[in-house]
C-alpha cells in the first residue's frame, strides 16, 4: 500500500483520478491513506510538538523503519505459514488457523511469507486476517533474543505441511477424481484428515498440468500418500474397456482397436458390440442406469451405457444403448436376457448386415427329362446302333423331294431314349468322338398339355425325390421354367459337397428315377473360372489365347472360353468332363495369371526393396524388363507378371539389387544419454521430417530407420554416406549444446520422454491411462512412426512405464486431424494379421486391405473392395466346382513335375500346348507331343505339322540339333 501511495503522491492533483483509472487503483483508498497520514502528522505536532514534513525518504530505509514499527506494535498477532495457501497461517499465541483475506495484495502477488503480523480477524465463511504485513526472519530472532516472544519452532515445523508427492493423471482420471464441483476431492481430503488425527492435509488438483499434488505434515506423509494412491488406482481401469471401432476401408467389416492401438477383434457384418435397450411390459417403473449396469455387467465389461434424453417417459419402449467391450459378451448377453422371463428389458443387436446374397461353395448337377413322347419314326444316318441296353434297327429313308439320301429312319424307339442317347450310341458304333457336334438327330414328338401349376408340382416332386437321396440342407434345387411345346425340361441342383453330388447323380442314373412319369437323367457339371484383371489380360493376351486355342483344338475333355465382364475385367470359364481334368486346367491357368511370387523364402533379405530407394529401383527394373512388378507391403511379397522372358529378366535383376542392398553398411546412432543434448531426436524430425527423407537424399543413404521409443537411428548405405549422416547429426548436436543454458534452466515443468525437454503447459498432453506428459508434437510423431512401421502396441516412452496408449489418446489425435483413422486401422490391421496369420489373411489381391478369416473346411470369401473371390482354406482365387482337396492335389502334381524338370532343365520341359512333361534323351530338336503338337525343343514354339517345325528350326536356329 505504501509503495502505491508513493507513486500516487507524485502525480499532479488534477491527474490523480486518471492515473488511478489507468493503474486500476482505488482512488478513494489512496485519499484515505493521505488523510490518515495528515492526521498522524497533526497529532504528533499537537501532542508531542514534533513537526513532520510531508516528504518521503529513501524507500529501503522507510520500509525498514515502518516494518519494524508495525512489528513492534503487532507482534502479539504473529502468524506462521503452514506450507500451502489453502492451509493458511497459524496464529502463534492462539494456535488458531486462519486464511489471508482475498482482498489482500499478497494474494494477487502470489506471495506467501513465512512470518506475518495482522491487525484483525474477520469471521465469515472462514476465519480471514486483514491488514497484513510480512515480517523478516531477523525481526523474529531479535524479538526472541529480547524475550518479547517465545516460539517452539519444532512444534511449529511439525504443523507445517510439505509437498509429499505429485501424481500425473489424464483428463478422465482427473475429472473422476475431483468430481462435480470438486466434491470428491474435498471429501477424500476430509477423510484423510480424520485418519491423520485432524492434521493439515491438502490435495491440490491442477487441471491444466494434469497433476494431483499431496501436501501433509511429515508425520503422516506415508499414510496419506497410500490412501491417495489407493483411491486413484481404480480410476483408469474403465479406460481399458474402451475401444475404437472403425470400418475397414469403408466396408461392412469393422476393426475394433484396444489399448496400444492393437486390433482386439474383427467384426463381420453380422457381429456386434452395440445393442439397443428396450423396456419390457413388465417394467412398470422407469429403468435406472444402475439397474441396467448391474444386469449387463455380469456378462462382461461394458464400455458405455447411454440413456436417450428424448424418450425417458414411461410410455417409451426405447430406453437407450449399451456398448460391450467384447462382441462375444454382447452375443451372450442377447441370448441370456432373451430367456429370462422376469427381465425388465431386452437387447436388440445393432449389426451392419444388409439384404444380400452370400455365395457359397457349390457343386452342380444338371437334371433333364423328356416331356413329350417320340413318334414312331426318327431320321438318322445309320443302319443299326447300340442304344442303352439294346439294339435299335434303322433303314434308309424313302426318296424325298430334297433328295437327302444320307438320312436314315429309326422305328420302335423306347420312351426313355432321347436324342443324346442315340448320338452316343452312334459315336460308339463308329468309334468317333464329339458325337453332339458330328450328328443331327431329330425325333418327332407328340404334343403335351401343360398342366395347371405344373412347375410348382414338379419342384415339389423333385425336392421330395432328392430328399430321399440326400439331406435337404445339403442341396439347393432350381427348375428352369418351360412352356407347353418344350421337349426337354431341365433342373439344376447345387450341393455343398462334391462327393455327395456325384453320388446322387450315380443313384439317379442307375436307379431309374422319374419326374412326372418321365425318366430323369443326371449329369455332373465340372465348371470353374479364373478371374483376370484387365491390365493383366492385356499383358498376357497372347499367352492366354494360345492356351485357350490349344484346349479348343487338342483337348477332348476340357473347354475354355474367354468372357468379358461388365467391370472391364475378364473371366476364363473352364468346363470339363471330370474334376481331375478341371483341376489340372485351373491350376495351369492360375499359374499363368499369378506369375512368379517372390518372398523371403525365395530371395533372402528381399524386404530391403520395400524401404529407402528400393521402390525406385523396382520401377527401373519394371521399365527395363517389360514385366509388371507388384509389391505387396503387407506380406512382404513381390509378384512378377509378364512373358516368360520378361519375368526371367526381372527376377534376375531383383536378385542382383537385393545383394547390392544387403552389402550396405548399417550403423546405429544413439540420440540420448552420453553427451547428447535434450531434444536431439525432435530437432532431427522437425528439420528432416518424420521419415527423414531429406536427410537420406542429402547424404545418399539407402535407408534410415528411427526408433522413437529407444531414441536410436539406424543408418544404412555406403561408408561415405553413413559418415556424412553422422557428421550432420553431430553438427545439430553442437547447435543444441550451445543453447543448453536455456534448456537446463531450472523449471518444475515435466520433461517430454521423447525430446527430453521441458513441456510448456499450452503444448502439454497427458496420456489418459498412466498420466505421463508429452509434447503434442512428439506424441503425434510417435504414433505416426508406429503407423509407418506397423509396430504395435504403442506404449508410453517413459522409462519403466509400459502402459499402452488407450482409445482416448488415439481419439484426441484423430479428432484434431493429427493422424487419419484409416491409416491407424490399416497399419494396426497389418500388424495384427502378421502376428495372427493362422487365423486371418489379407485378400490375395496385392495391397488390397480387406481381411478374411481362415477356415479349416474351406469357404468362399467375396472381397467388397477388389471384387475378387478367395478360398478361405487354400488362400487363392476361389476354385468354383472343385473341392480344396481336388485343387491342392492338382497343384501338388504340378509342383512335383516342376521340381522334376528343375533337376535337369536342359533335357526336361513341359509341352507349351498341353503342359505335359517331356524328357528328351536323344535326337533332334523336333518333338512330337502326345497332344499332336510339333514342338521346337530349343525355344518351345509349337506347330501343327512336322514340316513347319523343321522350317522354323532351320530359319531361327540354323540347325536341327
Amino acid at each position: 500500500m505504501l509503495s502505491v501511495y508513493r507513486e500516487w503522491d507524485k502525480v499532479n492533483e488534477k491527474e490523480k483520478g486518471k492515473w488511478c483509472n489507468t493503474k486500476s487503483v482505488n482512488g478513494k483508498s489512496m485519499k484515505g491513506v493521505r488523510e490518515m497520514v495528515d492526521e498522524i502528522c497533526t497529532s504528533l505536532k499537537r501532542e508531542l510538538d514534533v513537526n513532520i514534513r510531508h516528504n518521503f525518504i529513501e524507500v529501503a530505509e522507510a520500509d525498514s523503519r515502518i516494518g519494524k514499527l508495525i512489528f513492534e506494535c503487532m507482534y502479539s498477532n504473529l502468524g506462521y505459514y503452514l506450507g500451502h495457501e489453502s492451509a493458511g497461517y497459524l496464529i502463534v499465541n492462539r494456535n488458531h488457523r486462519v486464511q489471508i483475506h482475498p482482498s489482500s495484495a499478497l494474494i494477487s502477488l502470489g506471495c506467501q511469507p513465512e512470518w506475518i503480523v495482522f491487525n484483525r480477524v474477520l469471521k465469515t465463511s472462514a476465519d480471514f486476517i486483514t491488514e497484513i504485513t510480512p515480517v523478516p526472519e531477523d525481526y523474529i530472532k531479535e524479538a526472541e533474543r529480547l524475550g518479547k516472544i517465545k516460539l517452539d519452532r519444532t512444534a511449529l515445523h511439525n504443523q507445517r505441511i510439505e509437498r509429499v508427492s505429485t501424481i500425473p493423471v489424464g483428463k478422465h482420471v482427473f475429472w473422476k477424481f475431483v468430481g462435480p464441483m470438486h466434491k470428491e476431492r474435498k471429501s477424500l481430503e476430509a477423510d484423510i484428515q480424520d485418519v491423520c488425527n485432524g492434521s493439515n492435509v491438502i490435495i491440490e488438483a491442477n487441471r491444466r498440468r494434469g497433476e494431483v499434488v499431496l501436501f501433509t505434515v511429515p508425520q503422516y506423509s506415508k499414510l496419506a500418500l497410500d490412501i491417495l494412491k489407493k483411491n486413484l488406482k481404480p480410476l483408469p481401469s474403465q479406460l481399458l474397456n474402451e475401444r475404437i471401432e472403425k470400418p475397414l476401408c469403408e466396408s461392412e467389416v469393422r476393426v475394433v482397436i484396444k489399448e496400444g492401438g492393437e486390433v482386439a477383434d474383427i467384426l463381420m457384418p453380422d457381429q456386434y458390440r452395440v445393442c439397443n435397450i428396450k423396456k419390457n411390459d413388465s417394467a412398470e417403473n422407469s429403468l435406472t442406469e444402475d439397474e441396467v449396469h448391474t444386469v449387463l455387467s455380469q456378462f462382461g465389461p461394458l464400455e458405455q451405457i447411454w440413456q436417450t434424453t428424448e424418450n425417458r417417459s414411461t410410455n417409451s419402449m426405447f430406453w437407450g444403448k449399451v456398448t460391450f467391450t467384447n462382441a462375444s459378451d454382447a452375443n451372450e448377453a442377447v441370448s441370456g436376457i432373451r430367456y429370462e422371463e422376469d427381465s425388465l428389458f431386452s437387447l436388440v443387436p445393432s449389426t451392419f448386415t444388409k439384404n444380400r446374397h452370400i455365395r457359397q461353395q457349390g457343386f452342380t448337377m444338371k437334371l433333364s427329362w423328356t416331356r413329350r413322347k417320340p413318334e414312331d419314326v426318327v431320321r438318322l444316318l445309320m443302319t443299326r446302333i447300340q442304344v442303352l441296353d439294346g439294339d435299335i434297327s434303322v433303314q434308309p429313308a424313302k426318296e424325298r423331294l430334297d433328295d437327302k439320301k444320307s438320312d436314315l429312319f429309326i422305328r420302335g424307339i423306347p420312351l426313355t431314349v432321347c436324342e443324346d442317347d442315340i448320338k452316343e450310341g452312334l459315336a460308339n458304333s463308329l468309334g468317333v468322338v464329339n458325337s453332339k457336334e458330328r450328328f443331327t438327330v431329330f425325333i418327332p414328338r407328340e404334343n403335351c398339355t401343360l398342366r395347371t401349376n405344373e412347375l410348382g408340382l414338379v419342384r415339389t416332386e423333385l425336392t421330395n425325390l432328392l430328399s430321399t437321396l440326400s439331406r435337404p440342407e445339403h442341396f439347393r434345387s432350381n427348375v428352369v421354367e418351360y412352356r407347353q411345346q418344350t421337349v426337354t425340361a431341365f433342373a439344376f441342383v447345387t450341393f455343398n459337397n462334391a462327393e455327395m453330388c456325384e453320388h446322387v447323380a450315380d443313384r439317379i442314373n442307375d436307379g431309374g428315377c422319374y419326374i412326372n412319369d418321365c425318366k430323369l437323367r443326371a449329369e455332373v457339371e465340372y465348371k470353374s473360372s479364373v478371374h483376370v484383371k484387365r491390365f493383366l489380360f492385356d499383358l498376357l493376351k497372347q499367352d492366354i489365347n494360345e492356351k485357350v486355342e490349344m484346349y479348343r483344338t487338342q483337348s477332348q475333355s476340357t473347354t475354355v472360353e474367354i468372357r468379358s465382364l461388365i467391370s472391364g475385367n475378364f473371366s476364363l470359364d473352364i468346363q470339363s468332363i471330370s474334376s481331375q481334368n478341371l483341376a489340372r486346367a485351373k491350376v495351369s491357368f492360375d499359374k499363368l495369371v499369378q506369375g512368379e511370387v517372390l518372398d523371403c523364402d525365395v530371395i533372402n533379405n528381399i524386404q530391403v526393396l520395400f524401404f529407402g530407394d528400393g521402390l525406385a529401383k523396382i520401377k527401373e527394373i519394371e521399365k527395363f524388363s517389360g514385366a509388371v512388378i507388384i509389391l505387396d507391403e503387407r506380406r512382404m511379397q513381390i509378384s512378377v507378371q509378364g512373358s516368360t522372358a520378361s519375368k526371367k529378366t526381372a527376377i534376375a535383376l531383383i536378385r542382383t539389387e537385393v545383394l547390392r542392398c544387403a552389402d550396405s553398411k548399417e550403423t546405429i546412432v544413439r540420440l540420448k544419454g552420453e553427451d547428447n543434448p535434450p531434444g536431439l531426436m525432435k530437432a532431427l524430425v522437425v528439420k528432416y521430417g518424420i521419415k527423414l527423407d531429406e536427410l537420406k537424399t542429402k547424404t545418399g543413404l539407402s535407408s534410415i530407420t528411427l526408433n522413437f521409443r529407444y531414441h536410436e537411428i539406424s543408418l544404412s548405405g555406403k561408408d561415405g554416406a553413413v559418415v556424412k549422416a553422422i557428421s550432420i547429426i553431430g553438427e545439430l548436436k553442437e547447435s543444441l549444446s550451445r543453447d543448453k543454458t536455456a534448456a537446463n534452466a531450472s523449471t518444475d515443468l515435466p520433461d517430454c520422454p521423447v525430446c527430453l525437454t521441458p513441456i510448456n503447459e499450452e503444448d502439454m498432453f497427458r496420456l489418459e491411462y498412466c498420466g505421463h506428459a508429452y509434447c503434442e508434437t512428439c506424441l503425434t510423431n510417435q504414433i505416426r512412426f508406429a503407423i509407418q512401421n506397423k509396430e504395435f502396441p504403442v506404449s508410453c516412452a517413459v522409462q519403466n512405464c509400459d502402459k499402452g496408449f488407450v482409445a482416448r489418446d488415439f481419439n484426441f489425435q484423430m479428432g484434431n486431424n493429427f493422424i487419419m483413422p484409416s491409416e491407424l486401422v490399416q497399419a494396426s490391421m497389418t500388424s495384427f494379421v502378421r502376428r495372427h496369420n493362422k487365423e486371418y489373411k489379407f485378400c490375395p489381391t496385392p495391397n488390397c486391405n480387406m481381411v478374411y478369416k481362415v477356415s479349416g473346411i474351406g469357404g468362399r470369401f467375396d472381397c467388397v473392395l477388389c471384387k475378387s473371390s478367395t478360398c478361405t482354406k487354400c488362400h487363392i482365387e476361389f476354385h468354383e466346382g472343385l473341392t480344396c482337396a481336388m485343387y491342392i492335389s492338382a497343384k501338388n502334381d504340378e509342383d512335383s513335375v516342376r521340381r522334376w524338370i528343375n533337376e535337369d532343365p536342359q533335357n526336361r520341359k513341359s509341352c507349351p500346348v498341353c503342359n505335359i512333361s517331356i524328357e528328351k534323351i536323344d535326337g533332334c530338336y523336333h518333338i512330337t507331343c502326345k497332344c499332336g503338337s510339333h514342338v521346337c525343343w530349343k525355344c518351345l514354339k509349337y506347330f501343327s505339322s512336322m514340316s513347319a517345325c523343321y522350317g522354323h528350326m532351320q530359319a531361327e536356329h540354323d540347325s536341327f540339333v
Side-chain angles (χ1 to χ4, degrees), residues 76-88:
S76 59
N77 287 344
L78 180 65
Y80 176 72
Y81 182 56
L82 292 177
H84 192 275
E85 179 183 346
S86 299

Side-chain angles (χ1 to χ4, degrees), residues 512-571:
C513 297
Y514 291 84
I515 287 289
N516 196 20
D517 296 328
C518 300
K519 185 178 180 181
L520 272 179
R521 303 171 187 277
E523 177 184 354
V524 177
E525 291 192 332
Y526 297 99
K527 297 188 296 184
S528 190
S529 63
V530 177
H531 187 83
V532 187
K533 297 286 186 181
R534 182 178 184 84
F535 82 92
L536 189 57
F537 183 86
D538 293 339
L539 184 69
L540 302 174
K541 186 173 183 179
Q542 182 178 350
D543 293 340
I544 291 175
N545 286 335
E546 288 179 356
K547 189 175 281 288
V548 170
E549 180 65 17
M550 180 275 295
Y551 275 101
R552 190 186 71 81
T553 58
Q554 306 292 337
S555 177
Q556 301 175 4
S557 61
T558 305
T559 60
V560 182
E561 293 184 0
I562 302 174
R563 177 167 54 94
S564 60
L565 305 176
I566 297 177
S567 61
N569 300 322
F570 294 85
S571 176

Side-chain angles (χ1 to χ4, degrees), residues 451-463 479 482:
R451 298 175 297 164
T452 303
N453 193 29
E454 180 172 324
L455 283 174
L457 296 173
V458 169
R459 290 189 183 102
T460 302
E461 188 175 358
L462 179 62
T463 301
V479 177
Y482 54 82

